[in-house]
């Protein structure tokens, strides 16, 4: 559903002449496409792979706070140009950096001020480089082998208690709030090895290594819910927080007894800033098995067993598919044992799975046994271009002439070739640039870009020409800048249309190839 429900006011010059009223407008039903007067312009689609904010393949980074290795702005900035990562047979352009902050020296103590300062310096480097970060705070990323049921990873795992975690989250409040401009989204982390909420010393060990019966108890769920609640409260309302398993979100929203067929987010709830609307998902074993190695699994509770039968898998897959329309979905591949299903079509279903689940990003570094197959199989170019959004402007209907203080109607016909819509809000602006003085006038368009879902979108709206704008001829451009004032004028954070010869790299504007006279 396209939620552009505001009635459209259309300025009609013919009606104005016949009635002798210059500002006459007629309103249209929200369900009708208004007749937009002016000139219709067609645009040519581009097949180029280029950088766009908050989408695509991310670059991986990690640091131990016990031996802090800072991010380097010069290195980060090179990610915006095509690079081939280690063991990869493909190159990517990246505007996202995943960052593990491994709190290895703070498992039982507060985070030091020196470390908090180092985090701020990292964000300065991210901002300077024109990229954004996906942070995950954890206590261990090491699998210690030993004499336990799973063998390759045995307790103690090395994470921290709930009280320590919640205190750390409170300490990190300034970090999240002061740097939300360059944080694309936040991953929950904290609980368990790799922060994946599975192998943990304090929150229930469903692996069975700790003697528990391969499931989570009610108290385990409640402890996890408490940590997620603390993080959601700390992270600014306009940023989403991702959890590892769909069932975690269900039990946060509906309680520890929630079934696997609990209702997903719906259109009326989406993008409202509530906890339910802000919890996204990261699948770190994309297409790695029938249930993506525990992603689509019922981990039980005190009164029900763990279960991963087909009914459970299908219910949780359907849940995540619906959630992906409105929240940020990303992750990584982790095993090539699920071939040919994780290969390119027609033998596999990689592209269809990305589209079904609404993926915005993926790890460029891991697992390259899987990712390299997409290059060899011929679908990597499509995946690189279509992760997240990819907006193509097909046609626009724009006025040749407008009048100060009077509304003018415009229509934009776009198609989103990507797998998802943008998950963070941002303005959409019509730019009027005087052809003589180059002065700029910005007019916001009444549309929410987060609703520009895969497929077609038609933006019908009116813009009121400023009363103080000088008369003359103006070029029309489209601008989709970052919502934060700190980044709004930085073209590296503006969205580029996938069209030929429209992008202005120096400004971040997209030319509409049309001039308008203002009187």
């Amino acid at each position: 559903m396209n939620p552009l429900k505001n009635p459209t006011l259309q300025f009609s010059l013919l009606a104005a002449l016949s009635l002798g009223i210059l500002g006459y407008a007629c309103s249209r039903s929200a369900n009708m496409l208004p007749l937009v007067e002016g000139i219709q312009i067609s645009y040519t689609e581009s097949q180029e792979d280029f950088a766009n904010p908050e989408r695509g393949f991310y670059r991986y980074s990690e640091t131990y706070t016990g031996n802090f290795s800072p991010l380097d702005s010069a290195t980060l900035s090179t990610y915006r140009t095509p690079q081939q990562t280690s063991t990869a047979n493909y190159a990517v352009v990246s505007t996202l950096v995943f960052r593990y902050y491994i709190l290895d020296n703070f498992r039982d103590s507060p985070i030091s001020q020196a470390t908090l300062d180092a985090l701020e310096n990292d964000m300065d480097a991210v901002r300077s480089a024109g990229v954004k970060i996906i942070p995950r705070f954890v206590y261990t990323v090491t699998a210690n082998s030993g004499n336990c049921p799973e063998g390759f990873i045995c307790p103690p795992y090395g994470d921290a208690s709930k009280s320590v975690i919640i205190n750390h989250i409170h300490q990190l409040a300034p970090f999240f709030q002061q740097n939300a401009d360059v944080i694309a989204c936040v991953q929950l982390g904290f609980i368990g090895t790799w922060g994946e909420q599975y192998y943990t010393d304090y929150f229930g060990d469903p692996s069975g290594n700790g003697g528990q019966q391969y499931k989570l108890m009610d108290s385990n769920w409640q402890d996890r819910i408490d940590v997620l609640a603390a993080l959601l409260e700390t992270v600014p309302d306009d940023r989403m927080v991702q959890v590892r398993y769909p069932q975690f979100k269900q039990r946060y929203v509906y309680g520890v007894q929630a079934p696997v067929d609990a209702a997903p987010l719906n259109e009326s709830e989406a993008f409202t800033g509530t906890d339910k609307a802000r919890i996204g998902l990261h699948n770190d074993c994309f297409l790695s098995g029938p249930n993506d190695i525990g992603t689509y699994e019922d981990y039980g509770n005190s009164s029900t067993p763990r279960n991963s039968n087909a009914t459970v898998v299908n219910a949780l897959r359907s849940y995540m598919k619906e959630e992906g329309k409105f929240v940020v979905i990303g992750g990584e591949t982790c095993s090539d044992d699920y071939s040919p299903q994780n290969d390119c079509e027609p033998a596999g279903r990689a592209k269809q799975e990305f589209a079904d689940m609404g993926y915005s990003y993926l790890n460029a570094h891991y697992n390259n046994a899987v990712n390299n197959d997409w290059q060899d199989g011929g679908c990597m170019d499509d995946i690189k271009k279509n992760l997240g959004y990819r907006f193509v402007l097909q046609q626009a209907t724009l006025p040749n002439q407008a009048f100060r203080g009077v509304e003018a109607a415009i229509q934009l016909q776009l198609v989103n070739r990507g797998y998802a819509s943008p998950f963070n809000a941002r303005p959409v602006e019509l730019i009027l640039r005087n052809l003589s003085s180059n002065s700029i006038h910005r007019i916001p368009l009444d549309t929410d870009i987060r609703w520009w879902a895969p497929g077609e979108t038609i933006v019908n709206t009116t813009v009121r020409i400023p009363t103080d704008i000088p008369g003359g001829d103006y070029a029309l451009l489209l601008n989709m800048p970052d919502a934060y004032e700190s980044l709004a004028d930085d073209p590296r954070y503006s969205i580029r249309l996938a069209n030929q010869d429209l992008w202005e790299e120096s400004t971040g504007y997209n030319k509409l190839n049309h001039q308008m006279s203002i009187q």
Side-chain angles (χ1 to χ4, degrees):
M1 183 189 82
N2 191 325
L4 304 176
K5 296 181 179 178
N6 293 325
T8 303
L9 298 178
Q10 176 188 5
F11 173 72
S12 171
L13 182 58
L14 291 176
L17 291 173
S18 63
L19 296 176
I21 304 173
L22 192 60
Y24 177 80
C26 63
S27 72
R28 296 276 177 168
S29 165
N31 297 316
M32 294 176 59
L33 296 182
L35 176 64
V36 178
E37 301 206 3
I39 186 169
Q40 189 176 80
I41 305 160
S42 297
Y43 303 91
T44 304
E45 184 171 353
S46 169
Q47 298 303 319
E48 182 182 353
D49 179 27
F50 51 83
N52 247 338
E54 301 180 338
R55 58 152 302 275
F57 277 94
Y58 72 64
R59 301 298 299 272
Y60 176 92
S61 177
E62 68 175 45
T63 187
Y64 288 83
T65 55
N67 184 24
F68 202 100
S69 176
L71 291 171
D72 176 68
S73 176
T75 300
L76 297 179
S77 65
T78 65
Y79 296 164
R80 296 180 56 85
T81 57
Q83 287 191 352
Q84 191 164 323
T85 66
S86 175
T87 75
N89 63 5
Y90 53 89
V92 296
V93 294
S94 300
T95 63
L96 288 172
V97 178
F98 172 90
R99 179 75 157 163
Y100 263 133
Y101 288 108
I102 307 162
L103 303 167
D104 60 317
N105 57 332
F106 301 118
R107 293 188 181 99
D108 56 5
S109 63
I111 302 171
S112 69
Q113 187 59 50
T115 296
L116 295 174
D117 292 342
L119 294 175
E120 290 297 327
N121 291 336
D122 264 9
M123 296 306 100
D124 290 342
V126 168
R127 199 173 285 107
S128 175
V131 297
K132 291 203 176 188
I133 192 169
I134 303 170
R136 188 196 298 185
F137 290 86
V138 301
Y139 298 94
T140 176
V141 294
T142 303
N144 297 312
S145 60
N147 184 20
C148 69
E150 294 212 358
F152 84 98
I153 180 169
C154 291
Y157 302 112
D159 58 340
S161 68
K162 184 174 82 168
S163 61
V164 168
I165 291 173
I166 291 179
N167 285 337
H168 286 170
I169 289 173
H170 292 158
Q171 280 192 276
L172 291 167
F175 168 81
F176 291 125
Q177 293 162 8
Q178 295 169 15
N179 299 293
D181 59 340
V182 290
I183 294 175
C185 59
V186 178
Q187 294 188 353
L188 174 61
F190 291 109
I191 300 170
T193 308
W194 306 295
E196 291 194 34
Q197 301 118 53
Y198 193 82
Y199 298 104
T200 167
D201 298 325
Y202 297 94
F203 294 84
D205 185 357
S207 71
N209 284 340
Q212 206 165 321
Q213 295 181 356
Y214 299 94
K215 68 175 186 176
L216 298 176
M217 301 298 182
D218 291 357
S219 60
N220 304 144
W221 283 113
Q222 190 57 55
D223 286 342
R224 292 161 183 251
I225 287 168
D226 291 344
V227 170
L228 178 54
L231 190 60
L232 285 164
E233 184 179 358
T234 300
V235 172
D237 290 346
D238 61 359
R239 287 296 175 263
M240 294 185 182
V241 174
Q242 293 177 300
V243 297
R244 175 65 182 87
Y245 307 102
Q247 187 177 48
F248 193 172
K249 177 168 183 177
Q250 290 176 328
R251 297 207 159 167
Y252 180 92
V253 173
Y254 298 109
V256 298
Q257 303 297 326
V260 294
D261 60 356
L265 196 67
N266 61 45
E267 291 176 343
S268 66
E269 298 168 318
F271 309 125
T272 56
T274 64
D275 285 356
K276 187 177 182 181
R278 293 176 57 212
I279 301 173
L281 300 154
H282 64 96
N283 179 356
D284 287 356
C285 276
F286 175 79
L287 275 180
S288 297
N291 74 347
D292 280 0
I293 309 185
T295 300
Y296 306 116
E297 187 144 351
D298 179 355
Y299 287 95
N301 55 35
S302 294
S303 57
T304 62
R306 181 170 174 171
N307 196 341
S308 60
N309 63 29
T311 300
V312 168
V313 172
N314 290 336
L316 289 172
R317 280 181 52 82
S318 296
Y319 177 84
M320 190 164 173
K321 182 177 179 179
E322 291 302 308
E323 289 279 317
K325 297 176 181 179
F326 311 118
V327 300
V328 55
I329 305 290
E332 64 187 18
T333 56
C334 77
S335 172
D336 201 21
D337 293 339
Y338 199 46
S339 183
Q341 289 91 334
N342 61 14
D343 295 333
C344 297
E345 284 79 354
R349 55 186 177 91
K351 291 197 297 182
Q352 189 61 53
E353 187 77 357
F354 279 124
D356 285 348
M357 299 300 172
Y359 270 72
S360 285
Y361 69 78
L362 202 74
N363 190 348
H365 299 249
Y366 185 82
N367 180 309
N368 282 336
V370 181
N371 299 7
N372 285 339
D373 287 346
W374 299 335
Q375 180 70 21
D376 296 338
C379 64
M380 178 58 91
D381 285 347
D382 286 341
I383 292 170
K384 287 193 293 187
K385 289 186 294 187
N386 295 335
L387 278 170
Y389 58 86
R390 185 177 176 88
F391 297 130
V392 180
L393 180 60
Q394 296 182 312
Q395 288 186 337
T397 303
L398 304 168
N400 286 323
Q401 183 176 236
F403 302 87
R404 283 169 285 192
V406 175
E407 289 182 337
I410 68 169
Q411 183 184 88
L412 304 175
Q413 300 180 45
L414 306 104
V415 61
N416 183 355
R417 303 282 190 209
Y419 302 134
S421 61
F423 51 87
N424 287 328
R426 62 173 56 227
V428 180
E429 300 174 336
L430 181 68
I431 301 293
L432 308 181
R433 184 163 63 196
N434 190 286
L435 295 180
S436 298
S437 66
N438 284 325
S439 62
I440 296 295
H441 299 267
R442 305 171 186 266
I443 304 178
L445 300 186
D446 185 16
T447 184
D448 188 336
I449 202 168
R450 295 172 298 181
W451 289 97
W452 294 11
E456 293 185 351
T457 289
I458 297 178
V459 179
N460 285 320
T461 190
T462 59
V463 294
R464 181 171 292 277
I465 305 302
T467 57
D468 59 349
I469 190 172
D473 294 329
Y474 288 80
L476 302 187
L477 308 96
L478 189 67
N479 188 30
M480 294 165 279
D482 197 272
Y484 275 80
E485 185 178 353
S486 57
L487 306 179
D489 293 325
D490 189 332
R492 298 172 299 179
Y493 292 100
S494 292
I495 288 179
R496 174 180 175 179
L497 294 172
N499 290 90
Q500 294 182 17
D501 304 321
L502 299 188
W503 178 244
E504 285 191 351
E505 186 174 4
S506 62
T507 63
Y509 302 157
N510 297 273
K511 294 178 289 186
L512 294 177
N513 293 342
H514 184 65
Q515 298 176 12
M516 180 176 70
S517 174
I518 294 180
Q519 299 181 9

